[in-house]
Amino acid sequence: MRIFSFKIITILFTCIAVLSFSQVQKSRAVTLMGSRFDITVVDSHEGKADKSIDLAIKEISRIEDLISEWKPETEISKVNKNAGIKSVKVSAEVLNLTEKALYFSEITDGAFDISIAALDKIWKFDDSMNEIPADSLIRKSIEKVGYQNIIIDRKNSTVFLKKPGMKIGFGSIGKGYAADAARELLKKNGVKGGIINASGDLSTWGNQADGSLWTIGINNPFKENIAEVLQFKEYSVTTSGSYEKFAEINGIRYSHIINPKTGMPSTGLTSVTVIGKDATSANGFSTSVMVLGKKKGIKLINNFPEFQYLLITDKGKIIKSKNFKNIYP
């Protein structure tokens, strides 16, 4: 088995730019939701820019305190603790995000499933595996996975997991949602431009301090160069892939992204980058396409022309949607 690590998304910008019309562009890197966030804002002066970044950090931390499955007092942790026991009242925000996740489960026939949080960890991506787990172990690993057993009561704002031992988690769309939420909050507070980059899942708005568009490079992990350069104002870009963690067994690359229906890692694609108006949805599509594979994944996302994609196969072939360059600025 071999494990490789590649950084797929590169953000290209000037860290601090002060122009004649007194706009400042400032960036800060922080660890939130267990990942690196790079927050950049364009504001009237440096002190205000710092406060805007602080506001974004506070908003992302607030979301983590709602949806983290690792913090014991979050709403999601309470839902998981009461699996098979009782419904748990949640905020409208958590209810809406859960419904969003279930929407992706339905349109992908379960290829996307937040109840994969209950998956038994039989696959290892630490250079210790040299053979595929037994079929019996794979079947057992997904016994508590199944979005059909996530029951939402909108009237009473509750979530119930029907099976004891079930869990839900928002690792697949949570960081994208946080990037969107921080962007919207800063826009409401008058911040004219910025970019919230949640470890490659990012949302932008406005312009850079010098008036130019945001420039984003999509790396090619096979050639270690830029596969595509994007420029736009307000869009979101997310990437899912096996470029950071995968197991290679008998010449086949097995991604750390697991198919919730089969318990098998996804194969065939190295990375999926999706561009759209919000990172939450783009995240849902990038994860789903990775699991579905090239043929089924493209068939799915082509039904949603407001989202564009760039796929890189395990053989290094780059596949772009028909209107990939027409979606922006």
Side-chain angles (χ1 to χ4, degrees):
M1 183 188 78
R2 294 181 296 160
I3 297 177
F4 295 117
S5 177
F6 295 102
K7 188 174 182 182
I8 289 294
I9 297 290
T10 301
I11 310 305
L12 310 173
F13 54 78
T14 303
C15 290
I16 301 178
V18 183
L19 303 183
S20 58
F21 47 90
S22 299
Q23 281 197 317
V24 173
Q25 183 167 311
K26 190 162 188 181
S27 302
R28 193 188 308 168
V30 292
T31 299
L32 299 162
M33 303 179 79
S35 300
R36 172 172 169 151
F37 276 67
D38 291 278
I39 302 169
T40 300
V41 299
V42 176
D43 225 321
S44 56
H45 57 81
E46 191 168 338
K48 194 169 184 296
D50 275 325
K51 288 182 180 179
S52 295
I53 292 174
D54 289 341
L55 185 63
I57 291 171
K58 185 177 180 181
E59 175 69 355
I60 296 164
S61 297
R62 181 190 68 80
I63 291 167
E64 182 176 13
D65 288 341
L66 279 178
I67 67 172
S68 172
E69 62 193 275
W70 308 109
K71 294 186 175 184
E73 297 306 315
T74 69
E75 292 184 11
I76 294 305
S77 289
K78 291 175 183 177
V79 169
N80 291 342
K81 287 176 186 176
N82 286 282
I85 301 172
K86 64 178 181 179
S87 301
V88 175
K89 191 171 184 63
V90 299
S91 62
E93 186 173 11
V94 168
L95 195 76
N96 290 338
L97 188 58
T98 305
E99 284 190 326
K100 183 80 168 181
L102 290 177
Y103 166 75
F104 276 100
S105 294
E106 289 166 0
I107 66 172
T108 63
D109 190 29
F112 181 98
D113 194 333
I114 57 172
S115 70
I116 200 171
L119 183 82
D120 289 342
K121 304 299 190 293
I122 60 170
W123 292 88
K124 301 183 187 300
F125 303 94
D126 58 1
D127 208 22
S128 64
M129 292 192 74
N130 52 27
E131 61 181 9
I132 296 173
D135 289 345
S136 58
L137 285 177
I138 294 173
R139 288 194 299 271
K140 187 176 185 302
S141 73
I142 57 174
E143 284 181 350
K144 296 180 176 67
V145 177
Y147 73 93
Q148 301 90 340
N149 295 309
I150 304 171
I151 310 301
I152 287 179
D153 183 339
R154 175 154 282 283
K155 181 179 178 180
N156 295 304
S157 193
T158 63
V159 178
F160 176 55
L161 308 182
K162 289 175 67 174
K163 286 188 175 183
M166 275 189 74
K167 293 179 181 179
I168 57 175
F170 290 96
S172 52
I173 58 174
K175 291 194 295 295
Y177 176 73
D180 289 338
R183 174 177 65 181
E184 292 310 305
L185 181 60
L186 294 189
K187 284 173 61 180
K188 287 178 182 178
N189 278 269
V191 179
K192 299 302 182 184
I195 182 164
I196 311 294
N197 180 5
S199 294
D201 298 331
L202 57 94
S203 290
T204 68
W205 75 102
N207 293 85
Q208 298 195 66
D210 63 2
S212 63
L213 300 173
W214 297 105
T215 303
I216 294 150
I218 303 173
N219 285 349
N220 185 336
F222 287 94
K223 296 183 179 180
E224 298 191 49
N225 61 10
I226 302 296
E228 189 72 48
V229 175
L230 313 176
Q231 287 190 311
F232 47 67
K233 290 186 178 182
E234 186 162 332
Y235 269 97
S236 295
V237 183
T238 70
T239 297
S240 299
S242 61
Y243 45 87
E244 290 183 338
K245 291 191 295 182
F246 70 87
E248 189 170 290
I249 303 172
N250 297 327
I252 298 175
R253 177 188 291 191
Y254 294 90
S255 167
H256 71 286
I257 298 175
I258 307 293
N259 186 325
K261 295 181 68 175
T262 66
M264 287 291 292
S266 60
T267 59
L269 294 173
T270 294
S271 74
V272 176
T273 297
V274 174
I275 307 169
K277 286 294 187 181
D278 68 285
T280 312
S281 298
N283 245 171
F285 280 116
S286 61
T287 301
S288 299
V289 173
M290 272 295 298
V291 172
L292 289 169
K294 182 179 72 173
K295 186 176 180 180
K296 290 182 179 179
I298 290 175
K299 183 178 179 180
L300 167 71
I301 199 167
N302 278 345
N303 292 322
F304 301 87
E306 65 272 30
F307 293 91
Q308 301 300 312
Y309 58 83
L310 184 150
L311 317 181
I312 302 179
T313 72
D314 285 353
K315 304 299 183 183
K317 183 180 179 180
I318 297 174
I319 303 170
K320 303 175 190 177
S321 52
K322 183 178 179 181
N323 295 315
F324 186 76
K325 277 287 192 180
N326 298 330
I327 194 169
Y328 47 84

